[in-house]
Structures are given as C-alpha cells and as structure tokens.
PDB file of all heavy atoms in Angstrom:
ATOM      1  N   LEU A 321    -148.607 -19.299 -21.336  1.00 98.00           N
ATOM      2  CA  LEU A 321    -147.232 -19.279 -21.831  1.00 98.00           C
ATOM      3  C   LEU A 321    -147.033 -20.323 -22.931  1.00 98.00           C
ATOM      4  O   LEU A 321    -146.334 -20.083 -23.918  1.00 98.00           O
ATOM      5  CB  LEU A 321    -146.248 -19.519 -20.687  1.00 98.00           C
ATOM      6  CG  LEU A 321    -146.131 -18.419 -19.630  1.00 98.00           C
ATOM      7  CD1 LEU A 321    -145.120 -18.822 -18.553  1.00 98.00           C
ATOM      8  CD2 LEU A 321    -145.759 -17.083 -20.244  1.00 98.00           C
ATOM      9  N   SER A 322    -147.683 -21.467 -22.776  1.00 98.00           N
ATOM     10  CA  SER A 322    -147.574 -22.517 -23.800  1.00 98.00           C
ATOM     11  C   SER A 322    -148.206 -22.089 -25.113  1.00 98.00           C
ATOM     12  O   SER A 322    -147.849 -22.594 -26.178  1.00 98.00           O
ATOM     13  CB  SER A 322    -148.224 -23.817 -23.311  1.00 98.00           C
ATOM     14  OG  SER A 322    -149.656 -23.732 -23.336  1.00 98.00           O
ATOM     15  N   ARG A 323    -149.150 -21.145 -25.036  1.00 98.00           N
ATOM     16  CA  ARG A 323    -149.818 -20.608 -26.228  1.00 98.00           C
ATOM     17  C   ARG A 323    -149.099 -19.352 -26.771  1.00 98.00           C
ATOM     18  O   ARG A 323    -149.588 -18.736 -27.703  1.00 98.00           O
ATOM     19  CB  ARG A 323    -151.265 -20.263 -25.921  1.00 98.00           C
ATOM     20  CG  ARG A 323    -152.179 -21.446 -25.611  1.00 98.00           C
ATOM     21  CD  ARG A 323    -152.569 -22.194 -26.889  1.00 98.00           C
ATOM     22  NE  ARG A 323    -153.571 -23.213 -26.644  1.00 98.00           N
ATOM     23  CZ  ARG A 323    -154.879 -23.077 -26.908  1.00 98.00           C
ATOM     24  NH1 ARG A 323    -155.348 -21.942 -27.405  1.00 98.00           N
ATOM     25  NH2 ARG A 323    -155.712 -24.071 -26.674  1.00 98.00           N
ATOM     26  N   GLY A 324    -147.965 -18.986 -26.173  1.00 98.00           N
ATOM     27  CA  GLY A 324    -147.186 -17.893 -26.709  1.00 98.00           C
ATOM     28  C   GLY A 324    -147.492 -16.515 -26.144  1.00 98.00           C
ATOM     29  O   GLY A 324    -147.117 -15.501 -26.757  1.00 98.00           O
ATOM     30  N   ALA A 325    -148.150 -16.434 -24.988  1.00 98.00           N
ATOM     31  CA  ALA A 325    -148.450 -15.123 -24.408  1.00 98.00           C
ATOM     32  C   ALA A 325    -147.176 -14.356 -24.126  1.00 98.00           C
ATOM     33  O   ALA A 325    -146.215 -14.897 -23.589  1.00 98.00           O
ATOM     34  CB  ALA A 325    -149.263 -15.286 -23.125  1.00 98.00           C
ATOM     35  N   LYS A 326    -147.209 -13.062 -24.468  1.00 98.00           N
ATOM     36  CA  LYS A 326    -146.048 -12.192 -24.241  1.00 98.00           C
ATOM     37  C   LYS A 326    -146.261 -11.226 -23.089  1.00 98.00           C
ATOM     38  O   LYS A 326    -145.334 -10.533 -22.680  1.00 98.00           O
ATOM     39  CB  LYS A 326    -145.745 -11.393 -25.519  1.00 98.00           C
ATOM     40  CG  LYS A 326    -145.331 -12.248 -26.707  1.00 98.00           C
ATOM     41  CD  LYS A 326    -144.037 -13.010 -26.419  1.00 98.00           C
ATOM     42  CE  LYS A 326    -143.483 -13.693 -27.666  1.00 98.00           C
ATOM     43  NZ  LYS A 326    -144.361 -14.754 -28.182  1.00 98.00           N
ATOM     44  N   LEU A 327    -147.476 -11.156 -22.563  1.00 98.00           N
ATOM     45  CA  LEU A 327    -147.785 -10.389 -21.368  1.00 98.00           C
ATOM     46  C   LEU A 327    -149.098 -10.924 -20.808  1.00 98.00           C
ATOM     47  O   LEU A 327    -149.845 -11.618 -21.501  1.00 98.00           O
ATOM     48  CB  LEU A 327    -147.885  -8.886 -21.633  1.00 98.00           C
ATOM     49  CG  LEU A 327    -149.001  -8.321 -22.488  1.00 98.00           C
ATOM     50  CD1 LEU A 327    -149.132  -6.818 -22.257  1.00 98.00           C
ATOM     51  CD2 LEU A 327    -148.719  -8.536 -23.970  1.00 98.00           C
ATOM     52  N   VAL A 328    -149.371 -10.627 -19.526  1.00 98.00           N
ATOM     53  CA  VAL A 328    -150.605 -11.070 -18.886  1.00 98.00           C
ATOM     54  C   VAL A 328    -151.202  -9.902 -18.105  1.00 98.00           C
ATOM     55  O   VAL A 328    -150.486  -8.996 -17.662  1.00 98.00           O
ATOM     56  CB  VAL A 328    -150.385 -12.275 -17.939  1.00 98.00           C
ATOM     57  CG1 VAL A 328    -149.804 -13.465 -18.696  1.00 98.00           C
ATOM     58  CG2 VAL A 328    -149.510 -11.903 -16.760  1.00 98.00           C
ATOM     59  N   CYS A 329    -152.515  -9.938 -17.954  1.00 98.00           N
ATOM     60  CA  CYS A 329    -153.221  -8.957 -17.130  1.00 98.00           C
ATOM     61  C   CYS A 329    -153.528  -9.561 -15.765  1.00 98.00           C
ATOM     62  O   CYS A 329    -154.049 -10.670 -15.667  1.00 98.00           O
ATOM     63  CB  CYS A 329    -154.551  -8.574 -17.783  1.00 98.00           C
ATOM     64  SG  CYS A 329    -154.499  -7.117 -18.801  1.00 98.00           S
ATOM     65  N   VAL A 330    -153.209  -8.823 -14.713  1.00 99.00           N
ATOM     66  CA  VAL A 330    -153.629  -9.152 -13.358  1.00 99.00           C
ATOM     67  C   VAL A 330    -154.374  -7.945 -12.806  1.00 99.00           C
ATOM     68  O   VAL A 330    -153.924  -6.801 -12.995  1.00 99.00           O
ATOM     69  CB  VAL A 330    -152.416  -9.507 -12.466  1.00 99.00           C
ATOM     70  CG1 VAL A 330    -152.842  -9.686 -11.008  1.00 99.00           C
ATOM     71  CG2 VAL A 330    -151.720 -10.778 -12.969  1.00 99.00           C
ATOM     72  N   ARG A 331    -155.489  -8.181 -12.160  1.00 98.00           N
ATOM     73  CA  ARG A 331    -156.302  -7.067 -11.656  1.00 98.00           C
ATOM     74  C   ARG A 331    -155.560  -6.311 -10.553  1.00 98.00           C
ATOM     75  O   ARG A 331    -155.022  -6.931  -9.629  1.00 98.00           O
ATOM     76  CB  ARG A 331    -157.629  -7.612 -11.122  1.00 98.00           C
ATOM     77  CG  ARG A 331    -158.640  -6.533 -10.754  1.00 98.00           C
ATOM     78  CD  ARG A 331    -159.980  -7.156 -10.418  1.00 98.00           C
ATOM     79  NE  ARG A 331    -159.952  -7.977  -9.211  1.00 98.00           N
ATOM     80  CZ  ARG A 331    -160.758  -7.836  -8.163  1.00 98.00           C
ATOM     81  NH1 ARG A 331    -161.676  -6.895  -8.173  1.00 98.00           N
ATOM     82  NH2 ARG A 331    -160.662  -8.644  -7.135  1.00 98.00           N
ATOM     83  N   PRO A 332    -155.504  -4.983 -10.620  1.00 98.00           N
ATOM     84  CA  PRO A 332    -154.874  -4.205  -9.553  1.00 98.00           C
ATOM     85  C   PRO A 332    -155.819  -4.113  -8.341  1.00 98.00           C
ATOM     86  O   PRO A 332    -156.567  -3.146  -8.166  1.00 98.00           O
ATOM     87  CB  PRO A 332    -154.656  -2.831 -10.202  1.00 98.00           C
ATOM     88  CG  PRO A 332    -155.741  -2.723 -11.215  1.00 98.00           C
ATOM     89  CD  PRO A 332    -155.984  -4.123 -11.704  1.00 98.00           C
ATOM     90  N   ALA A 333    -155.757  -5.130  -7.503  1.00 98.00           N
ATOM     91  CA  ALA A 333    -156.739  -5.241  -6.411  1.00 98.00           C
ATOM     92  C   ALA A 333    -156.263  -6.284  -5.419  1.00 98.00           C
ATOM     93  O   ALA A 333    -155.431  -7.142  -5.745  1.00 98.00           O
ATOM     94  CB  ALA A 333    -158.097  -5.655  -6.982  1.00 98.00           C
ATOM     95  N   PRO A 334    -156.789  -6.246  -4.205  1.00 98.00           N
ATOM     96  CA  PRO A 334    -156.561  -7.368  -3.291  1.00 98.00           C
ATOM     97  C   PRO A 334    -157.039  -8.667  -3.927  1.00 98.00           C
ATOM     98  O   PRO A 334    -158.011  -8.674  -4.701  1.00 98.00           O
ATOM     99  CB  PRO A 334    -157.407  -6.999  -2.066  1.00 98.00           C
ATOM    100  CG  PRO A 334    -157.591  -5.526  -2.148  1.00 98.00           C
ATOM    101  CD  PRO A 334    -157.637  -5.199  -3.609  1.00 98.00           C
ATOM    102  N   VAL A 335    -156.376  -9.748  -3.637  1.00 98.00           N
ATOM    103  CA  VAL A 335    -156.726 -11.045  -4.234  1.00 98.00           C
ATOM    104  C   VAL A 335    -157.859 -11.676  -3.443  1.00 98.00           C
ATOM    105  O   VAL A 335    -157.751 -11.845  -2.224  1.00 98.00           O
ATOM    106  CB  VAL A 335    -155.503 -11.979  -4.234  1.00 98.00           C
ATOM    107  CG1 VAL A 335    -155.869 -13.325  -4.849  1.00 98.00           C
ATOM    108  CG2 VAL A 335    -154.344 -11.327  -4.990  1.00 98.00           C
ATOM    109  N   PRO A 336    -158.968 -12.045  -4.099  1.00 98.00           N
ATOM    110  CA  PRO A 336    -160.061 -12.696  -3.366  1.00 98.00           C
ATOM    111  C   PRO A 336    -159.603 -13.998  -2.725  1.00 98.00           C
ATOM    112  O   PRO A 336    -158.803 -14.746  -3.305  1.00 98.00           O
ATOM    113  CB  PRO A 336    -161.102 -12.968  -4.458  1.00 98.00           C
ATOM    114  CG  PRO A 336    -160.773 -12.011  -5.562  1.00 98.00           C
ATOM    115  CD  PRO A 336    -159.285 -11.851  -5.525  1.00 98.00           C
ATOM    116  N   GLY A 337    -160.087 -14.268  -1.543  1.00 96.00           N
ATOM    117  CA  GLY A 337    -159.760 -15.510  -0.847  1.00 96.00           C
ATOM    118  C   GLY A 337    -160.997 -16.136  -0.237  1.00 96.00           C
ATOM    119  O   GLY A 337    -162.028 -15.486  -0.084  1.00 96.00           O
ATOM    120  N   LEU A 338    -160.895 -17.410   0.122  1.00 93.00           N
ATOM    121  CA  LEU A 338    -162.028 -18.113   0.719  1.00 93.00           C
ATOM    122  C   LEU A 338    -162.381 -17.532   2.085  1.00 93.00           C
ATOM    123  O   LEU A 338    -163.559 -17.454   2.458  1.00 93.00           O
ATOM    124  CB  LEU A 338    -161.727 -19.597   0.839  1.00 93.00           C
ATOM    125  CG  LEU A 338    -161.659 -20.405  -0.471  1.00 93.00           C
ATOM    126  CD1 LEU A 338    -161.190 -21.820  -0.203  1.00 93.00           C
ATOM    127  CD2 LEU A 338    -163.026 -20.410  -1.157  1.00 93.00           C
ATOM    128  N   VAL A 339    -161.368 -17.143   2.848  1.00 93.00           N
ATOM    129  CA  VAL A 339    -161.603 -16.617   4.188  1.00 93.00           C
ATOM    130  C   VAL A 339    -161.506 -15.103   4.203  1.00 93.00           C
ATOM    131  O   VAL A 339    -162.376 -14.404   4.726  1.00 93.00           O
ATOM    132  CB  VAL A 339    -160.603 -17.234   5.195  1.00 93.00           C
ATOM    133  CG1 VAL A 339    -160.812 -16.641   6.584  1.00 93.00           C
ATOM    134  CG2 VAL A 339    -160.745 -18.752   5.215  1.00 93.00           C
ATOM    135  N   ARG A 340    -160.448 -14.558   3.612  1.00 96.00           N
ATOM    136  CA  ARG A 340    -160.251 -13.118   3.548  1.00 96.00           C
ATOM    137  C   ARG A 340    -159.366 -12.807   2.349  1.00 96.00           C
ATOM    138  O   ARG A 340    -158.666 -13.691   1.833  1.00 96.00           O
ATOM    139  CB  ARG A 340    -159.615 -12.590   4.826  1.00 96.00           C
ATOM    140  CG  ARG A 340    -158.231 -13.152   5.116  1.00 96.00           C
ATOM    141  CD  ARG A 340    -157.681 -12.600   6.417  1.00 96.00           C
ATOM    142  NE  ARG A 340    -156.328 -13.135   6.679  1.00 96.00           N
ATOM    143  CZ  ARG A 340    -155.627 -12.844   7.743  1.00 96.00           C
ATOM    144  NH1 ARG A 340    -156.131 -12.044   8.673  1.00 96.00           N
ATOM    145  NH2 ARG A 340    -154.420 -13.347   7.902  1.00 96.00           N
ATOM    146  N   PRO A 341    -159.362 -11.572   1.877  1.00 98.00           N
ATOM    147  CA  PRO A 341    -158.503 -11.213   0.744  1.00 98.00           C
ATOM    148  C   PRO A 341    -157.022 -11.304   1.118  1.00 98.00           C
ATOM    149  O   PRO A 341    -156.653 -11.317   2.299  1.00 98.00           O
ATOM    150  CB  PRO A 341    -158.902  -9.768   0.437  1.00 98.00           C
ATOM    151  CG  PRO A 341    -160.207  -9.552   1.112  1.00 98.00           C
ATOM    152  CD  PRO A 341    -160.218 -10.449   2.310  1.00 98.00           C
ATOM    153  N   ARG A 342    -156.191 -11.368   0.083  1.00 98.00           N
ATOM    154  CA  ARG A 342    -154.752 -11.454   0.283  1.00 98.00           C
ATOM    155  C   ARG A 342    -154.044 -10.320  -0.467  1.00 98.00           C
ATOM    156  O   ARG A 342    -154.553  -9.804  -1.480  1.00 98.00           O
ATOM    157  CB  ARG A 342    -154.197 -12.784  -0.251  1.00 98.00           C
ATOM    158  CG  ARG A 342    -154.706 -14.022   0.440  1.00 98.00           C
ATOM    159  CD  ARG A 342    -153.969 -15.263  -0.058  1.00 98.00           C
ATOM    160  NE  ARG A 342    -154.146 -15.478  -1.494  1.00 98.00           N
ATOM    161  CZ  ARG A 342    -155.167 -16.137  -2.039  1.00 98.00           C
ATOM    162  NH1 ARG A 342    -156.124 -16.640  -1.265  1.00 98.00           N
ATOM    163  NH2 ARG A 342    -155.234 -16.308  -3.331  1.00 98.00           N
ATOM    164  N   SER A 343    -152.865  -9.991  -0.015  1.00 98.00           N
ATOM    165  CA  SER A 343    -151.998  -9.065  -0.748  1.00 98.00           C
ATOM    166  C   SER A 343    -151.453  -9.759  -1.985  1.00 98.00           C
ATOM    167  O   SER A 343    -151.206 -10.980  -1.996  1.00 98.00           O
ATOM    168  CB  SER A 343    -150.833  -8.625   0.145  1.00 98.00           C
ATOM    169  OG  SER A 343    -149.818  -7.998  -0.607  1.00 98.00           O
ATOM    170  N   LEU A 344    -151.220  -8.985  -3.025  1.00 98.00           N
ATOM    171  CA  LEU A 344    -150.539  -9.515  -4.198  1.00 98.00           C
ATOM    172  C   LEU A 344    -149.133  -9.987  -3.830  1.00 98.00           C
ATOM    173  O   LEU A 344    -148.556 -10.844  -4.505  1.00 98.00           O
ATOM    174  CB  LEU A 344    -150.443  -8.442  -5.289  1.00 98.00           C
ATOM    175  CG  LEU A 344    -151.758  -8.107  -5.996  1.00 98.00           C
ATOM    176  CD1 LEU A 344    -151.671  -6.749  -6.679  1.00 98.00           C
ATOM    177  CD2 LEU A 344    -152.103  -9.182  -7.015  1.00 98.00           C
TER     178      LEU A 344
END
C-alpha cells in the first residue's frame, strides 16, 4: 500500500499453517 498498490492477489485456497491449514 505504501508503494501505491491498487489491488492485491490472494491465492484462492486454504491458508497454509504450521499445524493445519486455516480458512480465509
């Protein structure tokens, strides 16, 4: 955001976790 981003990409997937994946 400090560099002026107007959109971001997030992977459409469960979020990797150290123990188990997480919901978005």
